[in-house]
Amino acid sequence: MEREEMLISLKKKLTPKRYVHSIGVEYTAACMAFLYGEDVQRARIAGLLHDNAKCISVEDKLNKARKHGLPISACEEENPDLLHGKLGAYYARKKYGVTDEGILSAITYHTTGKPDMTLLEKIIFVADFIEPNRKMLSELPEIRKEAMTDLDVCIRHILKRTLEYLKEKNVAIDDLTEKTYEFYKRG
Ligand code: DGI
Ligand code: FE
Ligand code: FE
């Protein structure tokens, strides 16, 4: 699918804020691709589409994931919003015509990350967090600088911040989020 067509579909599926965020992740991922030597077009597609399933209701996220036979962990059962990566990759393939498995994987794992990520997976994970429309958080300026200087340090910092936030909110932490942090903590 051409970018213009993707934009028309995303505009229908997403809230205005989420649509603007998606375009922010697209160009942030493109910049990071220039910097780190990733294919810019792949980074743009993954960035643009990463949250395509985000605005589906919690109930429908579960129903659709079940209907399409996607694996659902206990943590996802409890927090179906976590499914928007997997479901987003499913739609990227089926609706947006993406066949590049590396792009689909970057979409699948953009929320939790995963141990030993590919360059594209890292770029999308980080670009999602630092894009310019993101609400300002403490440590964000530092994390943005790290994104341009040391990707692995940046990933560790994002996960540390996210885990602290989740523990404070007292919500279940996905195994994969924990495992990713353990992996990048070891350096
Ligand atoms: O979709 P975005 O908002 O752009 O960003 P995202 O896909 O990284 O999702 C962020 C949300 O996901 C945020 O509210 C924290 C939540 N999250 C990330 N890891 C976990 C998690 N929620 C739970 N319950 N467990 C996790 O391990
Ligand atoms: Fe997301
Ligand atoms: Fe996002």
Side-chain angles (χ1 to χ4, degrees):
M1 196 185 274
E2 294 288 326
R3 181 173 183 275
E4 287 309 306
E5 210 181 329
M6 289 180 181
L7 288 176
I8 290 166
S9 172
L10 288 172
K11 195 151 216 171
K12 280 189 224 152
K13 300 290 180 191
L14 301 177
T15 61
K17 258 181 84 171
R18 187 61 52 182
Y19 179 78
V20 168
H21 163 71
S22 300
I23 293 171
V25 176
E26 179 193 21
Y27 58 69
T28 303
C31 288
M32 293 177 70
F34 284 140
L35 183 59
Y36 291 110
E38 181 51 82
D39 182 278
V40 174
Q41 221 38 47
R42 296 178 79 214
R44 290 185 64 182
I45 294 167
L48 189 61
L49 295 180
H50 81 287
D51 269 343
N52 78 75
K54 178 83 177 185
C55 298
I56 297 169
S57 72
V58 165
E59 208 176 42
D60 276 359
K61 279 194 187 91
L62 258 181
N63 288 338
K64 288 172 195 290
R66 286 203 186 101
K67 185 170 94 184
H68 300 310
L70 305 177
I72 304 169
S73 70
C75 190
E76 288 166 340
E77 191 95 43
E78 217 183 299
N79 304 278
D81 194 44
L82 282 170
L83 286 167
H84 77 275
K86 274 181 200 167
L87 206 50
Y90 177 86
Y91 292 128
R93 190 198 297 274
K94 298 287 176 189
K95 279 182 37 182
Y96 295 88
V98 175
T99 55
D100 181 326
E101 296 295 335
I103 294 176
L104 296 170
S105 177
I107 296 174
T108 300
Y109 295 107
H110 83 266
T111 303
T112 57
K114 72 198 275 280
D116 202 13
M117 285 185 270
T118 64
L119 179 57
L120 185 62
E121 286 163 352
K122 289 180 185 182
I123 286 174
I124 299 305
F125 181 80
V126 170
D128 186 27
F129 201 86
I130 67 165
E131 67 92 10
N133 308 294
R134 267 267 180 240
K135 186 177 101 212
M136 186 48 68
L137 304 167
S138 63
E139 298 171 56
L140 188 53
E142 199 183 335
I143 290 172
R144 282 180 170 150
K145 192 171 271 184
E146 286 163 359
M148 305 299 151
T149 52
D150 191 326
L151 259 185
D152 287 0
V153 165
C154 181
I155 289 165
R156 188 189 316 158
H157 198 162
I158 290 173
L159 285 160
K160 180 168 171 285
R161 176 76 182 60
T162 298
L163 285 168
E164 281 167 4
Y165 165 81
L166 293 172
K167 280 174 186 159
E168 202 174 294
K169 279 215 320 183
N170 230 345
V171 296
I173 292 164
D174 196 278
D175 267 359
L176 207 46
T177 311
E178 201 87 71
K179 284 197 179 114
T180 308
Y181 185 49
E182 288 306 317
F183 182 91
Y184 284 95
K185 220 166 51 179
R186 270 182 256 128

